[in-house]
Amino acid sequence: MLLAIVYFLLILTGIVVVHELGHYLFSRVFGVRVLEFAIGMGPKLWSKKGKKTTFRINAFPIGGYVRPAGEDLDAIDSSVPDNEQIQNKPAWQRFIIYFAGPAFSLLLGFLILSLVAVVWGFQEVKIDKVELGSPAALSGMLPGDRIASVNGKTLLDNTRLSEAVVRGEKIDLVVIREGREVEITLIPEMLPQEAFIVIGNVSGEFGDALSSINGASFSGDYVGYGGILSPESTIRLGFADGSNLSGTLLTYSPTEERYAMGIYYANFKPIVATDFGQFRKGDVLVSVNGMTTETSYDLTTMSQLLSLKPNELLIQFTGRETTFARYGFPEEFVVTLERDGQVVDLTMTKNEMIALVSEVGAFSQGSDYWYPDSPVEAAVLGVQWANDLLITMVKVVGSLFTGGANINEFTGPIGLVTIVDQAVSLGPRIVLFLAGFISLNLGVINMIPFPALDGGRMLLALLEIITRKRLDPKIEGLINVIGFMILMGFMIYITFIDIGRWL
């Protein structure tokens, strides 16, 4: 974890310094004197006075800052001429100075992701499992296919495909199968509502088709029951074949109707990637407590069952149909695997298995990397990749204001350190990708029109350009101080959420 903290501080400081460099350069372009350009925070370790700017390195490597003359109205240096103070510059110049920071963050994100693309290429979007009778199966898609393009556009991650599926319209795909291109056309189908339910202290048996919940005839509206069913309450399920099941409701996760192709991505292979406990690198998991583990989907389901007690039932419904039902694993069970061409049975405790699946990088990646025809094409696709991520980030941030996203879903410093720790264990490609992702995120967040953020200052400058009236600088400063206090409160709130989520 110490190494992860070091990496996190280096990444954060580097990204913030580039952000502040944007402010610094354009301040100089418009004749604003920058009093200080600092790397890090806290007490000074080293400084060098330039012609008009003092450059310094501070004790704590947490970001950095620039201090333009005239920005702090309570501490204006009278020795600085009025025409070199930012408060006296025209609104359009102040707008560009404040915009330059986020712009440099975005530019850095694009450069880093292009570098990742040029050095490593792109992760395959590979199919692990195809549902029987689904549009994907009927169109001829097979496990092992790599999806190369969607509607004529190169597929760099699964985002573009997901967006096409959501629309429910015809999709033209090109997949790579055994080194050759195969063209496939399909139309996603609308799946009925689904639900994952975990029930404890179970009595009775489940059937094939759900007919009633708590004695009331069931119409297929799982989402509607979301406001009725509560954790730790008693739940009774009736089935069309006359079976009945009851117990204590532990988890209820309904899903709205949605379009789907009927595929699962190859995120992991059931191959152990490192020596761990009783496992050896290269071991192939065949089954865990009798449950087959052939695909990423199987591994994910197995991980869910590990978190349940033996008398707790995980049951999945699609429409009225029971599509999966299995009890949690006992405290000790048999894991069957292939080792050096031999079938081996290991007696394993639940805690041992939980430790394995919790280990980052415990299983081999389910897909490899593919490389474009040339480094130039890789760089161009890297820019496209960064642009796709940027658009997604803007949508996510926008959904905060429309109610489509929950603020509790955001991650703070503790969460980022944990993510960096995981990235470090996965290699330099993931670390660099994360740096590019954070830089893009910093650019987007800073353009939110909120006081104390660059976007808030840009908004005030823009209003001045439109109305040709300047807000009293002291009122503007007060607005930014209040905004800063709110942001600090938000960071403290997110940190407490991180403590519960990650520690």
Side-chain angles (χ1 to χ4, degrees), residues 85-103:
Q85 296 186 25
I86 192 169
Q87 62 163 333
N88 298 323
K89 292 297 180 180
W92 68 271
Q93 292 184 7
R94 299 201 312 274
F95 180 92
I96 292 175
I97 290 170
Y98 293 131
F99 174 71

Side-chain angles (χ1 to χ4, degrees), residues 171-211:
I171 302 175
D172 294 319
L173 302 173
V174 174
V175 303
I176 306 299
R177 181 182 300 162
E178 297 178 352
R180 60 188 180 88
E181 293 186 352
V182 178
E183 295 183 358
I184 289 176
T185 299
L186 58 81
I187 300 176
E189 67 174 350
M190 177 68 76
L191 289 181
Q193 289 188 18
E194 296 180 307
F196 281 88
I197 305 175
V198 177
I199 304 173
N201 302 316
V202 176
S203 63
E205 298 291 336
F206 56 84
D208 293 333
L210 186 63
S211 60

